[in-house]
Amino acid sequence: MTPPVCTSASDAATRSLPNAAYPSFSSYVRARQPVLLRTARSLTANPSDAEDLLQTALAKTYVAWERIEDHRALDGYVRRALLNTRTSQWRKRKVDEFACEELPEPEPLPGHDDDPAERQALRDAMWRAIMRLPARQRAMVVLRYYEDLSEVQTAEVLGVSVGTVKSAVSRALGKLREDPELAPVR
């Protein structure tokens, strides 16, 4: 085996890799990417734009990695970077709107004949029903289905057993099924 001709070039290449410089950053991104991508997705209408937005925010976080003192608050830092980046993009956007006599109605998607107002009313009714649940059941339903945590993760967050999570979520879903405000959905 021959030694590399230029050891300083190979060292520089190793140093330029994100994994070599900040292994904690790489592990943070691997662990939190799905949650951060959901946050980015809520800020944009297009999934590809959400991925670009998250990539930009993570690049900004990487540049500031050494200056971030409290690594327990990284989610907040990245979410703020997402929001600031999205706000900057929104301010820079080119507006191509023209006045017209009639407002165009969007064509309904196949299989989605329902009205957007009805979907919003259903979401509102669902949240009202969830808010009527006891606090512990409400927390478990939100963690399981809105934050998409597993039963084990939910149990760890709340400091209870997995069996407690399973039974409480089952009772909560039963109450939601019986909720009169959600009856038109069934």
Short mmCIF file of all heavy atoms in Angstrom, two decimals, residues 100-136:
data_model
loop_
_atom_site.label_atom_id
_atom_site.label_comp_id
_atom_site.label_asym_id
_atom_site.label_seq_id
_atom_site.Cartn_x
_atom_site.Cartn_y
_atom_site.Cartn_z
N CYS A 100 -58.82 40.26 -12.16
CA CYS A 100 -59.71 39.72 -13.17
C CYS A 100 -61.15 39.90 -12.69
O CYS A 100 -61.40 40.17 -11.52
CB CYS A 100 -59.41 38.26 -13.48
SG CYS A 100 -59.60 37.17 -12.08
N GLU A 101 -62.09 39.75 -13.60
CA GLU A 101 -63.48 39.97 -13.26
C GLU A 101 -64.07 38.82 -12.46
O GLU A 101 -64.92 39.03 -11.61
CB GLU A 101 -64.28 40.19 -14.54
CG GLU A 101 -63.95 41.51 -15.22
CD GLU A 101 -64.80 41.74 -16.46
OE1 GLU A 101 -65.89 41.15 -16.56
OE2 GLU A 101 -64.35 42.50 -17.32
N GLU A 102 -63.67 37.61 -12.76
CA GLU A 102 -64.20 36.43 -12.08
C GLU A 102 -63.10 35.72 -11.32
O GLU A 102 -61.98 35.61 -11.81
CB GLU A 102 -64.80 35.45 -13.09
CG GLU A 102 -66.07 35.91 -13.72
CD GLU A 102 -66.63 34.84 -14.62
OE1 GLU A 102 -66.44 33.64 -14.33
OE2 GLU A 102 -67.24 35.20 -15.63
N LEU A 103 -63.45 35.23 -10.15
CA LEU A 103 -62.50 34.42 -9.39
C LEU A 103 -62.59 32.98 -9.88
O LEU A 103 -63.68 32.42 -9.94
CB LEU A 103 -62.82 34.46 -7.90
CG LEU A 103 -62.55 35.78 -7.20
CD1 LEU A 103 -63.01 35.70 -5.74
CD2 LEU A 103 -61.08 36.12 -7.25
N PRO A 104 -61.47 32.38 -10.23
CA PRO A 104 -61.53 30.98 -10.69
C PRO A 104 -61.75 30.05 -9.52
O PRO A 104 -61.21 30.26 -8.44
CB PRO A 104 -60.16 30.77 -11.32
CG PRO A 104 -59.28 31.76 -10.64
CD PRO A 104 -60.15 32.93 -10.29
N GLU A 105 -62.56 29.05 -9.73
CA GLU A 105 -62.79 28.03 -8.72
C GLU A 105 -61.87 26.87 -9.01
O GLU A 105 -61.80 26.40 -10.15
CB GLU A 105 -64.25 27.54 -8.75
CG GLU A 105 -65.24 28.56 -8.26
CD GLU A 105 -65.06 28.86 -6.76
OE1 GLU A 105 -64.69 27.95 -6.00
OE2 GLU A 105 -65.30 30.01 -6.39
N PRO A 106 -61.16 26.38 -8.00
CA PRO A 106 -60.27 25.23 -8.26
C PRO A 106 -61.08 23.97 -8.54
O PRO A 106 -62.16 23.77 -7.98
CB PRO A 106 -59.48 25.09 -6.95
CG PRO A 106 -60.32 25.76 -5.92
CD PRO A 106 -61.11 26.83 -6.63
N GLU A 107 -60.55 23.15 -9.42
CA GLU A 107 -61.20 21.88 -9.74
C GLU A 107 -61.00 20.93 -8.56
O GLU A 107 -59.90 20.83 -8.03
CB GLU A 107 -60.58 21.28 -11.00
CG GLU A 107 -60.83 22.10 -12.25
CD GLU A 107 -62.31 22.14 -12.61
OE1 GLU A 107 -62.99 21.10 -12.46
OE2 GLU A 107 -62.78 23.20 -13.04
N PRO A 108 -62.06 20.22 -8.16
CA PRO A 108 -61.88 19.26 -7.06
C PRO A 108 -61.00 18.10 -7.50
O PRO A 108 -61.05 17.67 -8.64
CB PRO A 108 -63.30 18.79 -6.75
CG PRO A 108 -64.10 19.12 -7.97
CD PRO A 108 -63.42 20.27 -8.65
N LEU A 109 -60.19 17.63 -6.57
CA LEU A 109 -59.34 16.48 -6.84
C LEU A 109 -60.19 15.22 -6.89
O LEU A 109 -61.18 15.10 -6.18
CB LEU A 109 -58.28 16.34 -5.75
CG LEU A 109 -57.29 17.50 -5.63
CD1 LEU A 109 -56.44 17.32 -4.39
CD2 LEU A 109 -56.42 17.57 -6.87
N PRO A 110 -59.81 14.26 -7.73
CA PRO A 110 -60.58 13.01 -7.78
C PRO A 110 -60.55 12.32 -6.42
O PRO A 110 -59.51 12.16 -5.80
CB PRO A 110 -59.85 12.16 -8.82
CG PRO A 110 -58.82 13.03 -9.45
CD PRO A 110 -58.70 14.27 -8.65
N GLY A 111 -61.72 11.94 -5.96
CA GLY A 111 -61.83 11.28 -4.67
C GLY A 111 -61.88 12.24 -3.50
O GLY A 111 -62.01 11.84 -2.36
N HIS A 112 -61.72 13.52 -3.76
CA HIS A 112 -61.77 14.54 -2.71
C HIS A 112 -62.87 15.55 -3.04
O HIS A 112 -62.61 16.72 -3.28
CB HIS A 112 -60.43 15.27 -2.59
CG HIS A 112 -59.34 14.40 -2.10
ND1 HIS A 112 -58.49 13.72 -2.93
CD2 HIS A 112 -58.96 14.08 -0.83
CE1 HIS A 112 -57.63 13.03 -2.22
NE2 HIS A 112 -57.89 13.22 -0.95
N ASP A 113 -64.09 15.06 -3.11
CA ASP A 113 -65.21 15.92 -3.49
C ASP A 113 -65.68 16.80 -2.34
O ASP A 113 -66.53 17.65 -2.53
CB ASP A 113 -66.38 15.06 -4.00
CG ASP A 113 -66.00 14.31 -5.26
OD1 ASP A 113 -65.12 14.79 -6.00
OD2 ASP A 113 -66.60 13.25 -5.50
N ASP A 114 -65.14 16.60 -1.15
CA ASP A 114 -65.62 17.36 0.00
C ASP A 114 -65.11 18.80 -0.06
O ASP A 114 -64.09 19.12 -0.65
CB ASP A 114 -65.23 16.67 1.30
CG ASP A 114 -63.74 16.42 1.42
OD1 ASP A 114 -63.06 16.37 0.39
OD2 ASP A 114 -63.28 16.29 2.54
N ASP A 115 -65.84 19.63 0.58
CA ASP A 115 -65.59 21.06 0.60
C ASP A 115 -64.47 21.37 1.60
O ASP A 115 -64.44 20.80 2.70
CB ASP A 115 -66.90 21.74 1.03
CG ASP A 115 -66.80 23.24 1.01
OD1 ASP A 115 -65.87 23.78 0.40
OD2 ASP A 115 -67.69 23.88 1.62
N PRO A 116 -63.53 22.27 1.26
CA PRO A 116 -62.48 22.64 2.22
C PRO A 116 -63.06 23.19 3.53
O PRO A 116 -62.50 22.96 4.60
CB PRO A 116 -61.67 23.71 1.50
CG PRO A 116 -61.95 23.51 0.05
CD PRO A 116 -63.33 22.92 -0.03
N ALA A 117 -64.18 23.89 3.45
CA ALA A 117 -64.80 24.40 4.66
C ALA A 117 -65.31 23.26 5.54
O ALA A 117 -65.21 23.32 6.78
CB ALA A 117 -65.96 25.34 4.31
N GLU A 118 -65.81 22.19 4.91
CA GLU A 118 -66.26 21.03 5.67
C GLU A 118 -65.08 20.32 6.33
O GLU A 118 -65.19 19.86 7.47
CB GLU A 118 -67.01 20.06 4.76
CG GLU A 118 -68.36 20.57 4.32
CD GLU A 118 -69.05 19.60 3.38
OE1 GLU A 118 -68.64 18.42 3.31
OE2 GLU A 118 -69.99 20.03 2.70
N ARG A 119 -63.96 20.23 5.60
CA ARG A 119 -62.76 19.61 6.20
C ARG A 119 -62.29 20.41 7.41
O ARG A 119 -61.92 19.84 8.43
CB ARG A 119 -61.65 19.51 5.16
CG ARG A 119 -61.86 18.41 4.15
CD ARG A 119 -60.60 18.11 3.37
NE ARG A 119 -59.98 19.29 2.79
CZ ARG A 119 -60.05 19.64 1.52
NH1 ARG A 119 -60.72 18.89 0.67
NH2 ARG A 119 -59.46 20.71 1.08
N GLN A 120 -62.31 21.74 7.29
CA GLN A 120 -61.89 22.59 8.41
C GLN A 120 -62.86 22.45 9.58
O GLN A 120 -62.46 22.40 10.74
CB GLN A 120 -61.77 24.05 7.99
CG GLN A 120 -61.22 24.96 9.07
CD GLN A 120 -59.82 24.55 9.50
OE1 GLN A 120 -58.98 24.26 8.67
NE2 GLN A 120 -59.57 24.51 10.79
N ALA A 121 -64.15 22.38 9.28
CA ALA A 121 -65.14 22.20 10.33
C ALA A 121 -64.93 20.86 11.04
O ALA A 121 -65.06 20.78 12.27
CB ALA A 121 -66.55 22.27 9.75
N LEU A 122 -64.57 19.82 10.27
CA LEU A 122 -64.29 18.52 10.87
C LEU A 122 -63.06 18.58 11.77
O LEU A 122 -63.06 18.05 12.88
CB LEU A 122 -64.10 17.46 9.79
CG LEU A 122 -63.71 16.07 10.27
CD1 LEU A 122 -64.79 15.50 11.19
CD2 LEU A 122 -63.46 15.16 9.09
N ARG A 123 -62.00 19.26 11.31
CA ARG A 123 -60.80 19.42 12.14
C ARG A 123 -61.13 20.15 13.44
O ARG A 123 -60.67 19.77 14.51
CB ARG A 123 -59.72 20.18 11.38
CG ARG A 123 -58.96 19.35 10.42
CD ARG A 123 -57.76 20.12 9.85
NE ARG A 123 -57.47 19.63 8.54
CZ ARG A 123 -57.76 20.26 7.41
NH1 ARG A 123 -58.31 21.45 7.42
NH2 ARG A 123 -57.49 19.71 6.25
N ASP A 124 -61.92 21.22 13.32
CA ASP A 124 -62.31 21.98 14.52
C ASP A 124 -63.12 21.11 15.47
O ASP A 124 -62.92 21.14 16.69
CB ASP A 124 -63.12 23.21 14.12
CG ASP A 124 -62.28 24.24 13.38
OD1 ASP A 124 -61.03 24.16 13.42
OD2 ASP A 124 -62.87 25.13 12.74
N ALA A 125 -64.05 20.34 14.93
CA ALA A 125 -64.86 19.45 15.77
C ALA A 125 -63.99 18.41 16.45
O ALA A 125 -64.19 18.09 17.63
CB ALA A 125 -65.94 18.78 14.92
N MET A 126 -63.00 17.89 15.72
CA MET A 126 -62.09 16.89 16.30
C MET A 126 -61.31 17.50 17.46
O MET A 126 -61.18 16.90 18.52
CB MET A 126 -61.13 16.35 15.23
CG MET A 126 -60.14 15.35 15.78
SD MET A 126 -60.89 13.90 16.51
CE MET A 126 -61.22 12.94 15.08
N TRP A 127 -60.79 18.72 17.28
CA TRP A 127 -60.03 19.36 18.36
C TRP A 127 -60.93 19.65 19.57
O TRP A 127 -60.50 19.51 20.71
CB TRP A 127 -59.34 20.63 17.88
CG TRP A 127 -58.00 20.32 17.31
CD1 TRP A 127 -57.61 20.41 16.01
CD2 TRP A 127 -56.86 19.82 18.02
NE1 TRP A 127 -56.32 20.00 15.87
CE2 TRP A 127 -55.82 19.64 17.10
CE3 TRP A 127 -56.61 19.50 19.35
CZ2 TRP A 127 -54.57 19.16 17.45
CZ3 TRP A 127 -55.36 19.03 19.70
CH2 TRP A 127 -54.36 18.87 18.76
N ARG A 128 -62.17 20.07 19.31
CA ARG A 128 -63.07 20.30 20.44
C ARG A 128 -63.32 19.00 21.20
O ARG A 128 -63.35 18.98 22.42
CB ARG A 128 -64.39 20.92 19.95
CG ARG A 128 -64.28 22.40 19.63
CD ARG A 128 -65.64 23.04 19.41
NE ARG A 128 -66.40 22.41 18.33
CZ ARG A 128 -66.31 22.76 17.05
NH1 ARG A 128 -65.48 23.71 16.68
NH2 ARG A 128 -67.05 22.16 16.14
N ALA A 129 -63.49 17.91 20.45
CA ALA A 129 -63.71 16.60 21.09
C ALA A 129 -62.47 16.18 21.88
O ALA A 129 -62.58 15.66 22.99
CB ALA A 129 -64.05 15.55 20.03
N ILE A 130 -61.30 16.41 21.33
CA ILE A 130 -60.06 16.07 22.04
C ILE A 130 -59.92 16.93 23.29
O ILE A 130 -59.50 16.43 24.34
CB ILE A 130 -58.84 16.24 21.10
CG1 ILE A 130 -58.85 15.12 20.06
CG2 ILE A 130 -57.53 16.24 21.89
CD1 ILE A 130 -57.82 15.27 18.98
N MET A 131 -60.30 18.18 23.21
CA MET A 131 -60.19 19.07 24.37
C MET A 131 -61.16 18.66 25.49
O MET A 131 -60.94 19.00 26.65
CB MET A 131 -60.43 20.53 23.98
CG MET A 131 -59.34 21.09 23.06
SD MET A 131 -57.68 20.90 23.70
CE MET A 131 -57.72 21.98 25.09
N ARG A 132 -62.22 17.92 25.15
CA ARG A 132 -63.15 17.44 26.18
C ARG A 132 -62.64 16.19 26.90
O ARG A 132 -63.20 15.79 27.92
CB ARG A 132 -64.52 17.18 25.55
CG ARG A 132 -65.29 18.45 25.23
CD ARG A 132 -66.73 18.14 24.86
NE ARG A 132 -66.85 17.44 23.59
CZ ARG A 132 -66.97 18.02 22.40
NH1 ARG A 132 -66.97 19.32 22.31
NH2 ARG A 132 -67.08 17.28 21.31
N LEU A 133 -61.61 15.57 26.37
CA LEU A 133 -61.04 14.39 27.03
C LEU A 133 -60.34 14.81 28.33
O LEU A 133 -59.88 15.95 28.45
CB LEU A 133 -60.01 13.71 26.12
CG LEU A 133 -60.54 13.03 24.86
CD1 LEU A 133 -59.36 12.58 23.99
CD2 LEU A 133 -61.43 11.86 25.20
N PRO A 134 -60.23 13.91 29.28
CA PRO A 134 -59.44 14.22 30.48
C PRO A 134 -57.99 14.53 30.07
O PRO A 134 -57.50 14.03 29.05
CB PRO A 134 -59.51 12.93 31.30
CG PRO A 134 -60.72 12.22 30.81
CD PRO A 134 -60.88 12.61 29.37
N ALA A 135 -57.32 15.33 30.87
CA ALA A 135 -55.99 15.83 30.51
C ALA A 135 -55.00 14.72 30.18
O ALA A 135 -54.25 14.81 29.20
CB ALA A 135 -55.44 16.70 31.64
N ARG A 136 -55.01 13.65 30.95
CA ARG A 136 -54.06 12.57 30.74
C ARG A 136 -54.33 11.85 29.41
O ARG A 136 -53.41 11.57 28.64
CB ARG A 136 -54.15 11.59 31.90
CG ARG A 136 -53.10 10.54 31.90
CD ARG A 136 -53.17 9.78 33.20
NE ARG A 136 -52.23 8.69 33.20
CZ ARG A 136 -52.06 7.88 34.20
NH1 ARG A 136 -52.77 8.03 35.29
NH2 ARG A 136 -51.20 6.91 34.13
#
